[in-house]
Amino acid sequence: QVALVRLLQALARDQGLAVVSVLHDLSLALQADRLVVMAEGRVQAEGATGDPAVHAALAAVFHHALRIERSRGRWVAVPELDPR
């Protein structure tokens, strides 16, 4: 999965291609430039991966069982062991 994401990033960067993918691995999805957060077939949020509104939508969609944090310069999804 990581190799595929790196390849897609390289294609987008080097060849100017737009890449659209569906990922359920949130930490990999957070490596994209932009995200569309969906639940029950409806868009809940759309924006840059660093957008706090996108992070809040992800947390809500997963019933606050995760939080989005910055780690080593990248956004990652971290399990929330004590959900609100």
Side-chain angles (χ1 to χ4, degrees):
Q1 289 177 325
V2 172
L4 177 60
V5 169
R6 287 179 179 159
L7 171 65
L8 295 174
Q9 286 175 326
L11 288 172
R13 180 185 60 246
D14 299 340
Q15 297 182 20
L17 298 176
V19 176
V20 177
S21 65
V22 176
L23 297 169
H24 292 97
D25 182 322
L26 297 181
S27 290
L28 283 178
L30 285 163
Q31 303 315 303
D33 295 326
R34 301 186 69 74
L35 291 178
V36 176
V37 180
M38 297 185 69
E40 298 180 8
R42 295 186 178 186
V43 174
Q44 305 298 309
E46 180 275 327
T49 55
D51 184 341
V54 171
H55 296 178
L58 281 169
V61 164
F62 287 93
H63 308 285
H64 301 283
L66 61 87
R67 66 183 183 277
I68 308 302
E69 292 185 355
R70 195 94 165 136
S71 176
R72 297 182 181 178
R74 297 177 189 252
W75 293 106
V76 295
V78 177
E80 182 63 75
L81 300 178
D82 186 19
R84 297 177 222 158

